[in-house]
Amino acid sequence: MLIEIENLSVTFHAQGRRVRAVEEVSFSVAARESFGLVGESGSGKSTILRAICGLAPISAGQIRIDGKPLPSPRGAAFAREVQMVFQDPYASLHPRHTIDRVLSEPLAIHGLKGSDARIEQALTDVGLPAAFRFRYPHQLSGGQRQRVAIARALMLEPRILLLDEPTSALDASVQAETLNLLTRLRAERGLTFLMVSHDLAVIDHMCDRILVMQHGRAVEELSRAALASAAMTTDYARALFAASADRMLEG
Amino acid sequence: MTLLSVRNLRVTFDTETGPVQAVRGVSFDLDRKRLGIVGESGSGKTMTGRAVLRLIRPPGRIEADQMTFDGQDLMAASDAQLRALRGRRIAMVMQDPKYSLNPVMKVGAQLMEGLRQRDRLSRTEAHAKAVAALDAVQIRDPGRVMEAYPHELSGGMGQRVMIAMMLIPGPDLLIADEPTSALDVTVQAEVLSILDNLVKTRGMGLIFISHDLRLVVRFCDRVLVMFKGKIVEELAARDLLHAKHPYTQGLLNCLPRIGGSREPLPALDRSAAWAR
């Protein structure tokens, strides 16, 4: 297994109170697999991604990649293996940095050469014209920005991509284009996806296995076939399935 | 009787590079029913909603051959007449509670502000009405919410507070601009059924603006599909799945389905002759 998460708990301390955002969640993701986490907001799904990146306080449990526990702080080697794409492309790109600077920064940090050619290639790979290099984020649409965010995550050629609601800030039509792009990149580069979404239909389209979460706990793990045939065993997973927007079309 | 009638509505922005038409000749009628307006971002659906309340600032201009609400000509109305309509008879719920509620005022104070100022109610009366409004949108603990600041509420609660606020004056028409797109699916369904109930019990007209066709199918009677400022198709919500127009079909087909195929999702064709 490429990613192994064992009894992971994340506890935040705020104003003397302890908030247990994630409680004893375990799952594992094989290389080249696409794994989905679903649940409503506050269920702890994004916190798991942040914990993997070292952005959330892990209070118990272990995260292993390639069988090795992650160092803390995560370090440069981790950044070359694992990258994250955030939910809101309006917030995740620096408003005063050109696309060129956004994309060249990881190369500079890791001392990689040939930045010109790499940036042009990265833009072409995500379906943007090379001329976008010298634009600022505000000169791009939401979908184009998310493409830039994906290009940035891929600059260091990681094996694992953590996707935190990558399309929920986008229109349905732009969402389709972004999902197609992610699917294509995964096939071309043999990437492993760990994807978070509250939209079951999106997760179903993208992922092979799904973990349903509620209140920080794992509720049920489902295969794609089990989801399609509504073969869930817990009430919560069933309720989520029933409330899922695409069921409304049949309604 | 027709509650709102709009004929050939145009919204134009004069920019340095010449005029840009955000809404190009939109016409529709609404009685006390639920009308959905769908389209991608930039299709002019929000501008249409705002234009009904004449809430477009210069350099934007609103023009229409006719825009009447309950017999009153909205195009000819004075600022004072419009103020009397806004909130009291036509209310609008905005997309994101994070940006629409005052962050430094308690929810209770915000709910009571209108009642105190507009209706000249006493503190106790205003308080009782505000609590009742929170009750109507199924907030379980109205006492706590009244004393909370907006950042202490979840997105779903904040959105319900906004709906409660808009419904206090008992408007005849509610314009809801993406009222649920900041919410989770489960909360979304709840908020929509609250809106739906209110339309039924109060006999209110509703304009529901959304980019999500699936929601509109479920919660509206009639749907306008907009593209680049024009209505490309108008149809009954139950016929949406059998839409004729290629743009409407495109919007439907680009949605992933549970148990659907793994093929790339069809991209929307925005280049055809109808797009001009």
Short mmCIF file of all heavy atoms in Angstrom, two decimals, chain B residues 160-206:
data_model
loop_
_atom_site.label_atom_id
_atom_site.label_comp_id
_atom_site.label_asym_id
_atom_site.label_seq_id
_atom_site.Cartn_x
_atom_site.Cartn_y
_atom_site.Cartn_z
N ARG B 160 -29.89 30.08 6.79
CA ARG B 160 -31.26 30.09 7.32
C ARG B 160 -31.57 31.41 8.00
O ARG B 160 -32.69 31.91 7.91
CB ARG B 160 -31.44 28.95 8.33
CG ARG B 160 -31.69 27.65 7.62
CD ARG B 160 -32.00 26.60 8.61
NE ARG B 160 -30.92 25.62 8.60
CZ ARG B 160 -31.02 24.47 9.24
NH1 ARG B 160 -32.09 24.19 9.94
NH2 ARG B 160 -30.05 23.61 9.17
N VAL B 161 -30.57 31.98 8.69
CA VAL B 161 -30.77 33.28 9.32
C VAL B 161 -31.10 34.32 8.25
O VAL B 161 -32.01 35.13 8.40
CB VAL B 161 -29.51 33.71 10.10
CG1 VAL B 161 -29.57 35.18 10.48
CG2 VAL B 161 -29.35 32.85 11.35
N MET B 162 -30.38 34.26 7.11
CA MET B 162 -30.66 35.22 6.03
C MET B 162 -32.06 35.04 5.48
O MET B 162 -32.75 36.02 5.19
CB MET B 162 -29.66 35.03 4.90
CG MET B 162 -28.26 35.31 5.33
SD MET B 162 -27.43 36.33 4.15
CE MET B 162 -27.48 35.25 2.76
N ILE B 163 -32.47 33.78 5.33
CA ILE B 163 -33.82 33.55 4.80
C ILE B 163 -34.84 34.08 5.80
O ILE B 163 -35.80 34.76 5.43
CB ILE B 163 -34.03 32.04 4.51
CG1 ILE B 163 -33.12 31.62 3.36
CG2 ILE B 163 -35.48 31.75 4.18
CD1 ILE B 163 -33.09 30.14 3.10
N ALA B 164 -34.59 33.82 7.11
CA ALA B 164 -35.51 34.32 8.15
C ALA B 164 -35.62 35.83 8.07
O ALA B 164 -36.71 36.40 8.14
CB ALA B 164 -35.00 33.89 9.53
N MET B 165 -34.47 36.48 7.89
CA MET B 165 -34.44 37.93 7.85
C MET B 165 -35.27 38.47 6.69
O MET B 165 -36.01 39.44 6.81
CB MET B 165 -32.98 38.36 7.70
CG MET B 165 -32.71 39.81 7.93
SD MET B 165 -30.95 40.12 7.71
CE MET B 165 -30.28 39.43 9.17
N MET B 166 -35.16 37.81 5.55
CA MET B 166 -35.88 38.25 4.36
C MET B 166 -37.37 38.01 4.47
O MET B 166 -38.17 38.68 3.84
CB MET B 166 -35.35 37.51 3.12
CG MET B 166 -33.94 37.85 2.77
SD MET B 166 -33.73 39.62 2.69
CE MET B 166 -32.19 39.81 3.52
N LEU B 167 -37.74 37.01 5.29
CA LEU B 167 -39.15 36.63 5.33
C LEU B 167 -39.93 37.38 6.39
O LEU B 167 -41.16 37.37 6.39
CB LEU B 167 -39.27 35.13 5.56
CG LEU B 167 -38.76 34.32 4.37
CD1 LEU B 167 -38.67 32.86 4.73
CD2 LEU B 167 -39.64 34.52 3.16
N ILE B 168 -39.24 38.08 7.28
CA ILE B 168 -39.94 38.79 8.36
C ILE B 168 -40.99 39.77 7.83
O ILE B 168 -42.13 39.77 8.30
CB ILE B 168 -38.92 39.49 9.30
CG1 ILE B 168 -38.27 38.45 10.20
CG2 ILE B 168 -39.60 40.56 10.15
CD1 ILE B 168 -37.21 39.00 11.11
N PRO B 169 -40.68 40.59 6.80
CA PRO B 169 -41.72 41.52 6.34
C PRO B 169 -42.82 40.86 5.52
O PRO B 169 -43.74 41.54 5.09
CB PRO B 169 -40.94 42.52 5.48
CG PRO B 169 -39.51 42.17 5.57
CD PRO B 169 -39.42 40.80 6.07
N GLY B 170 -42.72 39.55 5.28
CA GLY B 170 -43.73 38.86 4.50
C GLY B 170 -43.79 39.32 3.06
O GLY B 170 -44.83 39.80 2.58
N PRO B 171 -42.69 39.20 2.31
CA PRO B 171 -42.66 39.70 0.93
C PRO B 171 -43.56 38.87 0.01
O PRO B 171 -43.88 37.73 0.31
CB PRO B 171 -41.19 39.54 0.54
CG PRO B 171 -40.70 38.42 1.38
CD PRO B 171 -41.43 38.52 2.67
N ASP B 172 -43.94 39.48 -1.12
CA ASP B 172 -44.75 38.76 -2.10
C ASP B 172 -43.87 38.01 -3.09
O ASP B 172 -44.29 37.08 -3.76
CB ASP B 172 -45.62 39.74 -2.89
CG ASP B 172 -46.60 40.44 -1.99
OD1 ASP B 172 -47.45 39.75 -1.43
OD2 ASP B 172 -46.50 41.67 -1.81
N LEU B 173 -42.62 38.51 -3.20
CA LEU B 173 -41.71 37.89 -4.15
C LEU B 173 -40.35 37.74 -3.49
O LEU B 173 -39.85 38.68 -2.88
CB LEU B 173 -41.58 38.77 -5.40
CG LEU B 173 -40.53 38.38 -6.44
CD1 LEU B 173 -40.84 37.02 -7.03
CD2 LEU B 173 -40.45 39.42 -7.56
N LEU B 174 -39.78 36.55 -3.58
CA LEU B 174 -38.45 36.31 -3.03
C LEU B 174 -37.51 35.97 -4.18
O LEU B 174 -37.80 35.08 -4.98
CB LEU B 174 -38.49 35.16 -2.02
CG LEU B 174 -37.16 34.85 -1.33
CD1 LEU B 174 -36.78 35.97 -0.37
CD2 LEU B 174 -37.24 33.53 -0.57
N ILE B 175 -36.41 36.70 -4.26
CA ILE B 175 -35.39 36.38 -5.26
C ILE B 175 -34.24 35.72 -4.51
O ILE B 175 -33.62 36.34 -3.66
CB ILE B 175 -34.91 37.66 -5.98
CG1 ILE B 175 -36.10 38.35 -6.64
CG2 ILE B 175 -33.84 37.31 -7.01
CD1 ILE B 175 -35.76 39.71 -7.23
N ALA B 176 -34.01 34.45 -4.80
CA ALA B 176 -32.96 33.71 -4.10
C ALA B 176 -31.82 33.45 -5.08
O ALA B 176 -31.98 32.71 -6.04
CB ALA B 176 -33.52 32.40 -3.55
N ASP B 177 -30.68 34.10 -4.83
CA ASP B 177 -29.55 33.99 -5.75
C ASP B 177 -28.57 32.95 -5.23
O ASP B 177 -27.83 33.20 -4.29
CB ASP B 177 -28.87 35.36 -5.87
CG ASP B 177 -27.77 35.36 -6.91
OD1 ASP B 177 -27.61 34.33 -7.58
OD2 ASP B 177 -27.11 36.39 -7.06
N GLU B 178 -28.58 31.77 -5.81
CA GLU B 178 -27.72 30.66 -5.38
C GLU B 178 -27.79 30.49 -3.86
O GLU B 178 -26.76 30.52 -3.19
CB GLU B 178 -26.27 30.93 -5.79
CG GLU B 178 -26.08 31.22 -7.25
CD GLU B 178 -25.49 30.05 -8.01
OE1 GLU B 178 -25.36 28.96 -7.44
OE2 GLU B 178 -25.18 30.25 -9.19
N PRO B 179 -28.98 30.32 -3.31
CA PRO B 179 -29.08 30.32 -1.85
C PRO B 179 -28.42 29.12 -1.20
O PRO B 179 -28.19 29.12 -0.01
CB PRO B 179 -30.59 30.30 -1.60
CG PRO B 179 -31.15 29.64 -2.79
CD PRO B 179 -30.27 30.02 -3.94
N THR B 180 -28.11 28.09 -1.97
CA THR B 180 -27.59 26.88 -1.34
C THR B 180 -26.24 26.45 -1.87
O THR B 180 -25.74 25.41 -1.46
CB THR B 180 -28.55 25.70 -1.54
OG1 THR B 180 -28.71 25.49 -2.94
CG2 THR B 180 -29.89 25.96 -0.91
N SER B 181 -25.61 27.25 -2.73
CA SER B 181 -24.39 26.68 -3.34
C SER B 181 -23.23 26.68 -2.37
O SER B 181 -22.23 26.01 -2.62
CB SER B 181 -24.04 27.39 -4.64
OG SER B 181 -24.13 28.76 -4.48
N ALA B 182 -23.33 27.38 -1.23
CA ALA B 182 -22.25 27.31 -0.25
C ALA B 182 -22.48 26.19 0.76
O ALA B 182 -21.75 26.06 1.72
CB ALA B 182 -22.10 28.65 0.47
N LEU B 183 -23.52 25.38 0.54
CA LEU B 183 -23.91 24.40 1.56
C LEU B 183 -23.68 22.96 1.13
O LEU B 183 -23.60 22.65 -0.05
CB LEU B 183 -25.40 24.58 1.89
CG LEU B 183 -25.86 25.98 2.27
CD1 LEU B 183 -27.35 25.99 2.49
CD2 LEU B 183 -25.13 26.46 3.50
N ASP B 184 -23.60 22.08 2.12
CA ASP B 184 -23.51 20.64 1.87
C ASP B 184 -24.80 20.08 1.31
O ASP B 184 -25.86 20.65 1.54
CB ASP B 184 -23.30 19.93 3.21
CG ASP B 184 -21.88 19.97 3.62
OD1 ASP B 184 -21.05 20.34 2.79
OD2 ASP B 184 -21.62 19.65 4.78
N VAL B 185 -24.71 18.93 0.66
CA VAL B 185 -25.92 18.35 0.06
C VAL B 185 -27.04 18.13 1.05
O VAL B 185 -28.21 18.44 0.76
CB VAL B 185 -25.65 17.03 -0.69
CG1 VAL B 185 -25.20 17.30 -2.08
CG2 VAL B 185 -24.67 16.15 0.04
N THR B 186 -26.71 17.61 2.22
CA THR B 186 -27.79 17.30 3.18
C THR B 186 -28.45 18.58 3.69
O THR B 186 -29.67 18.65 3.79
CB THR B 186 -27.24 16.49 4.37
OG1 THR B 186 -25.96 17.00 4.70
CG2 THR B 186 -27.12 15.04 4.03
N VAL B 187 -27.62 19.61 3.97
CA VAL B 187 -28.16 20.88 4.45
C VAL B 187 -28.91 21.58 3.32
O VAL B 187 -29.96 22.21 3.53
CB VAL B 187 -27.01 21.78 4.95
CG1 VAL B 187 -27.56 23.02 5.61
CG2 VAL B 187 -26.13 21.03 5.91
N GLN B 188 -28.38 21.45 2.12
CA GLN B 188 -28.99 22.02 0.93
C GLN B 188 -30.45 21.57 0.80
O GLN B 188 -31.35 22.40 0.63
CB GLN B 188 -28.20 21.49 -0.26
CG GLN B 188 -28.24 22.34 -1.48
CD GLN B 188 -27.20 21.85 -2.47
OE1 GLN B 188 -27.12 20.66 -2.76
NE2 GLN B 188 -26.41 22.74 -2.99
N ALA B 189 -30.65 20.27 0.92
CA ALA B 189 -31.99 19.73 0.79
C ALA B 189 -32.92 20.34 1.84
O ALA B 189 -34.07 20.67 1.57
CB ALA B 189 -31.95 18.21 0.92
N GLU B 190 -32.39 20.52 3.07
CA GLU B 190 -33.19 21.08 4.15
C GLU B 190 -33.60 22.52 3.86
O GLU B 190 -34.77 22.89 3.98
CB GLU B 190 -32.36 21.10 5.43
CG GLU B 190 -32.74 20.09 6.46
CD GLU B 190 -31.75 20.14 7.61
OE1 GLU B 190 -31.80 21.11 8.38
OE2 GLU B 190 -30.91 19.23 7.70
N VAL B 191 -32.61 23.34 3.48
CA VAL B 191 -32.88 24.75 3.22
C VAL B 191 -33.89 24.90 2.08
O VAL B 191 -34.81 25.72 2.13
CB VAL B 191 -31.57 25.51 2.90
CG1 VAL B 191 -31.86 26.89 2.38
CG2 VAL B 191 -30.71 25.59 4.14
N LEU B 192 -33.74 24.07 1.06
CA LEU B 192 -34.65 24.15 -0.07
C LEU B 192 -36.07 23.77 0.32
O LEU B 192 -37.03 24.40 -0.13
CB LEU B 192 -34.16 23.25 -1.21
CG LEU B 192 -32.94 23.81 -1.94
CD1 LEU B 192 -32.42 22.79 -2.92
CD2 LEU B 192 -33.28 25.10 -2.65
N SER B 193 -36.20 22.77 1.19
CA SER B 193 -37.56 22.38 1.55
C SER B 193 -38.20 23.46 2.43
O SER B 193 -39.41 23.66 2.38
CB SER B 193 -37.60 21.00 2.19
OG SER B 193 -36.99 21.04 3.44
N ILE B 194 -37.36 24.19 3.21
CA ILE B 194 -37.90 25.32 3.97
C ILE B 194 -38.43 26.38 3.01
O ILE B 194 -39.58 26.85 3.15
CB ILE B 194 -36.80 25.92 4.88
CG1 ILE B 194 -36.45 24.96 6.01
CG2 ILE B 194 -37.26 27.26 5.46
CD1 ILE B 194 -35.22 25.35 6.79
N LEU B 195 -37.65 26.73 2.02
CA LEU B 195 -38.08 27.72 1.03
C LEU B 195 -39.36 27.27 0.34
O LEU B 195 -40.30 28.05 0.15
CB LEU B 195 -36.99 27.90 -0.03
CG LEU B 195 -35.89 28.91 0.23
CD1 LEU B 195 -34.92 28.93 -0.93
CD2 LEU B 195 -36.48 30.30 0.43
N ASP B 196 -39.35 25.99 -0.02
CA ASP B 196 -40.47 25.43 -0.76
C ASP B 196 -41.76 25.53 0.05
O ASP B 196 -42.81 25.93 -0.46
CB ASP B 196 -40.12 23.97 -1.04
CG ASP B 196 -41.04 23.38 -2.07
OD1 ASP B 196 -41.31 24.08 -3.06
OD2 ASP B 196 -41.49 22.24 -1.88
N ASN B 197 -41.64 25.18 1.35
CA ASN B 197 -42.78 25.26 2.24
C ASN B 197 -43.32 26.66 2.35
O ASN B 197 -44.53 26.89 2.35
CB ASN B 197 -42.32 24.83 3.63
CG ASN B 197 -43.02 23.58 4.04
OD1 ASN B 197 -44.19 23.43 3.70
ND2 ASN B 197 -42.32 22.71 4.72
N LEU B 198 -42.39 27.63 2.47
CA LEU B 198 -42.80 29.02 2.64
C LEU B 198 -43.54 29.52 1.41
O LEU B 198 -44.52 30.26 1.50
CB LEU B 198 -41.57 29.89 2.91
CG LEU B 198 -40.93 29.63 4.27
CD1 LEU B 198 -39.54 30.22 4.34
CD2 LEU B 198 -41.80 30.18 5.38
N VAL B 199 -43.07 29.10 0.23
CA VAL B 199 -43.75 29.50 -1.00
C VAL B 199 -45.17 28.96 -1.00
O VAL B 199 -46.13 29.66 -1.31
CB VAL B 199 -42.97 29.00 -2.24
CG1 VAL B 199 -43.77 29.22 -3.50
CG2 VAL B 199 -41.63 29.69 -2.33
N LYS B 200 -45.30 27.70 -0.58
CA LYS B 200 -46.62 27.07 -0.58
C LYS B 200 -47.54 27.72 0.44
O LYS B 200 -48.68 28.07 0.13
CB LYS B 200 -46.49 25.58 -0.29
CG LYS B 200 -46.09 24.80 -1.52
CD LYS B 200 -46.30 23.31 -1.30
CE LYS B 200 -45.65 22.53 -2.42
NZ LYS B 200 -44.60 21.63 -1.94
N THR B 201 -47.04 27.87 1.69
CA THR B 201 -47.96 28.32 2.75
C THR B 201 -48.25 29.82 2.65
O THR B 201 -49.34 30.25 2.99
CB THR B 201 -47.38 28.02 4.14
OG1 THR B 201 -46.06 28.56 4.20
CG2 THR B 201 -47.32 26.53 4.40
N ARG B 202 -47.29 30.60 2.18
CA ARG B 202 -47.52 32.04 2.15
C ARG B 202 -47.99 32.54 0.79
O ARG B 202 -48.25 33.73 0.62
CB ARG B 202 -46.23 32.78 2.48
CG ARG B 202 -45.74 32.53 3.87
CD ARG B 202 -44.68 33.53 4.23
NE ARG B 202 -44.14 33.21 5.53
CZ ARG B 202 -43.44 34.08 6.24
NH1 ARG B 202 -43.20 35.28 5.77
NH2 ARG B 202 -42.97 33.75 7.42
N GLY B 203 -48.00 31.65 -0.20
CA GLY B 203 -48.39 32.07 -1.53
C GLY B 203 -47.46 33.12 -2.10
O GLY B 203 -47.88 34.11 -2.68
N MET B 204 -46.17 32.87 -1.93
CA MET B 204 -45.16 33.81 -2.36
C MET B 204 -44.69 33.42 -3.77
O MET B 204 -44.77 32.27 -4.15
CB MET B 204 -44.01 33.66 -1.36
CG MET B 204 -43.05 34.77 -1.24
SD MET B 204 -42.03 34.51 0.24
CE MET B 204 -41.20 32.99 -0.14
N GLY B 205 -44.21 34.41 -4.53
CA GLY B 205 -43.53 34.10 -5.78
C GLY B 205 -42.05 33.90 -5.49
O GLY B 205 -41.52 34.54 -4.61
N LEU B 206 -41.40 33.00 -6.23
CA LEU B 206 -39.98 32.75 -5.98
C LEU B 206 -39.21 32.75 -7.29
O LEU B 206 -39.61 32.11 -8.26
CB LEU B 206 -39.81 31.39 -5.29
CG LEU B 206 -38.38 30.90 -5.06
CD1 LEU B 206 -37.68 31.71 -3.99
CD2 LEU B 206 -38.35 29.42 -4.68
#
